[in-house]
Amino acid sequence: MKVPYLSFTRMNDQVREGLQEAFMSVLDSHRYILGAQVERFEGRYAAFSGTAHCVGTSNGLDALCLCLKALGVSEGDEVVVPSNTYIATVLAVTRVGASPVFAEPDERTYNLDPEQLEGALTTNTKAVIPVHLYGQACAMDRIMQVAGRRGIPVVEDNAQAQGATFNARPTGSWGRINATSFYPTKNLGALGDAGAVTTDDAALAALAATLRNYGADTKYHNRYTGYNMRLDELQAAFLSVKLERLEAWNRERQSIAARYGEGLKGVGDLCLPETQAGASHVYHIYQVRTTFRDALVEYLAQKGIGTAVHYPVPPHLQEAYASLGFRKGDFPIAETLADTCLSLPIWPGMTEADTAAVIDSVRSFFTFNHTSK
Ligand SMILES: *Cc1c(COP(=O)(O)O)cnc(C)c1O
């Protein structure tokens, strides 16, 4: 039985008609940029996130840049980011001219460790970006405390955790201004690139909205040297259709994760994801760890089971950031994670038979190949 790492087939089947209607409605509206669909989706996504405002954007990286720009982060400033995030978090920091300062994650949740964060703050720190990695909410109460004591704004990178909560409060509503991505594979995915900024602060929302549209608050009157970072009407219309299913799809991800948790407990040297007190996990990614990662990947591939690695190279060791001067050994937790992490298939529409096939293959790998190191 083949199980792809990711399949859109069953998800798309559930929304096919809605997406077709959305397409026809945008086509016939003759309004393709910044119209009623974007406004409607922004209202719905703000409500979903528990924030007063949402500003649709071209993608998640641009949303992060807009957050930093709106806060006035620029050259000479430092922004603390986790050492084990997807590179986009760091690219946003360097794109506004600021310097990334890496803080190591908690070894069990893989999310920014509030104590490491505290140690990374300096008088130059202008923002902190916790990332709700793999779909689990960060320890937002402690992160807000640590940053708040010094008056440093928090910008959540909520690209992987739409629908997650910490202490029952949605991710994307804790920080002063927050970013998310609707890249097609995210829990809420568009049919192309898309993203959003969420905030309770009306002035920051207005500034982000102005910056995303050439810096003009009135057409042809440019207050700032802005950007074109707009969300398309078409993508907004698709996202409104898919947003209605997001909670059900997240519950599906959670039940697949629960089956993995039962079926893989105590198998070989596998570390399974752990959810911390107060946090919910919407399993954008089901990430396990094993020192036999590369052999397991190959074995599963032979059995027809797709996997992925998120992420094989931490940002501080990427060629693009060679100029920052980091070396192997500088962030050992992030480096160990990169060497041992493996993502198993998890997508809405996966059947019990799919999940069972993954579990059986992983178990047989450890039974017949690697019971101990
Ligand atoms: C996907 C992702 C982004 C970037 O989103 P894009 O829409 O692809 O630009 C940023 N941060 C994290 C953690 C992501 O997973």
Side-chain angles (χ1 to χ4, degrees):
M1 177 167 193
K2 283 195 187 311
V3 183
Y5 175 65
L6 173 73
S7 167
F8 289 119
T9 307
R10 294 178 196 140
M11 253 178 131
N12 286 354
D13 283 348
Q14 290 179 30
V15 287
R16 180 169 300 272
E17 271 178 33
L19 295 175
Q20 281 169 338
E21 279 164 25
F23 171 78
M24 293 311 291
S25 134
V26 172
L27 179 69
D28 293 335
S29 75
H30 298 186
R31 178 79 186 244
Y32 306 121
I33 301 281
L34 296 186
Q37 293 287 355
V38 167
E39 226 168 89
R40 189 168 65 149
F41 174 70
E42 287 174 340
R44 289 177 179 182
Y45 193 72
F48 177 84
S49 305
T51 56
H53 307 279
C54 167
V55 178
T57 64
S58 33
N59 57 61
L61 173 57
D62 286 348
L64 281 164
C65 289
L66 280 177
C67 291
L68 296 176
K69 275 281 169 189
L71 290 171
V73 177
S74 65
E75 230 154 295
D77 295 336
E78 291 176 1
V79 177
V80 180
V81 295
S83 53
N84 62 326
T85 185
Y86 178 57
I87 190 98
T89 318
V90 190
L91 288 173
V93 174
T94 52
R95 195 155 106 194
V96 303
S99 303
V101 173
F102 295 105
E104 289 264 69
D106 179 287
E107 278 177 89
R108 287 169 36 218
T109 65
Y110 314 129
N111 276 335
L112 188 61
D113 179 340
E115 265 154 48
Q116 295 284 332
L117 165 63
E118 178 122 55
L121 299 176
T122 74
T123 51
N124 293 323
T125 312
K126 286 290 150 55
V128 168
I129 312 184
V131 181
H132 307 294
L133 201 68
Y134 307 139
Q136 175 167 199
C138 294
M140 288 313 297
D141 53 349
R142 289 168 61 212
I143 289 171
M144 295 303 291
Q145 250 171 30
V146 168
R149 271 201 295 269
R150 302 205 191 195
I152 298 168
V154 169
V155 174
E156 295 170 75
D157 180 339
N158 196 33
Q160 302 192 356
Q162 294 115 359
T165 57
F166 189 84
N167 288 345
R169 179 170 163 183
T171 55
S173 74
W174 289 80
R176 192 169 305 166
I177 179 166
N178 312 299
T180 194
S181 162
F182 306 120
Y183 183 79
T185 62
K186 305 286 156 106
N187 289 34
L188 178 60
L191 306 183
D193 276 312
V197 165
T198 52
T199 180
D200 275 335
D201 186 315
L204 286 178
L207 180 52
T210 302
L211 286 171
R212 100 180 142 174
N213 192 29
Y214 304 121
D217 45 14
T218 312
K219 204 170 188 184
Y220 306 132
H221 294 270
N222 299 73
R223 189 182 292 265
Y224 312 102
T225 52
Y227 313 95
N228 179 347
M229 294 184 169
R230 299 176 302 226
L231 172 65
D232 284 349
E233 282 286 283
L234 196 52
Q235 295 303 341
F238 293 150
L239 285 165
S240 287
V241 172
K242 293 183 81 178
L243 181 58
E244 286 183 31
R245 304 274 177 154
L246 178 56
E247 279 176 336
W249 285 337
N250 281 347
R251 281 194 296 274
E252 259 192 80
R253 289 174 183 275
Q254 287 165 337
S255 60
I256 295 162
R259 269 182 251 143
Y260 279 151
E262 275 168 38
L264 297 175
K265 198 164 64 186
V267 173
D269 72 340
L270 280 183
C271 290
L272 303 181
E274 286 178 38
T275 309
Q276 70 182 321
S280 78
H281 198 323
V282 292
Y283 295 97
H284 170 56
I285 283 169
Y286 189 88
Q287 195 254 35
V288 299
R289 290 177 57 204
T290 167
T291 53
F292 305 105
R293 196 260 314 275
D294 296 345
L296 178 56
V297 167
E298 206 171 299
Y299 181 86
L300 291 176
Q302 279 166 12
K303 296 249 173 191
I305 290 166
T307 57
V309 172
H310 298 98
Y311 300 92
V313 182
H316 71 280
L317 297 179
Q318 292 284 355
E319 198 180 337
Y321 285 128
S323 63
L324 296 178
F326 290 109
R327 271 176 297 164
K328 215 172 162 72
D330 285 343
F331 299 99
I333 299 177
E335 290 165 23
T336 304
L337 292 177
D339 290 340
T340 57
C341 66
L342 179 66
S343 308
L344 299 180
I346 191 161
W347 34 273
M350 253 184 102
T351 61
E352 276 187 46
D354 292 327
T355 326
V358 177
I359 291 168
D360 288 348
S361 298
V362 173
R363 291 184 77 102
S364 77
F365 170 82
F366 282 104
T367 307
F368 301 117
N369 296 271
H370 301 92
T371 40
S372 64
K373 192 158 190 189

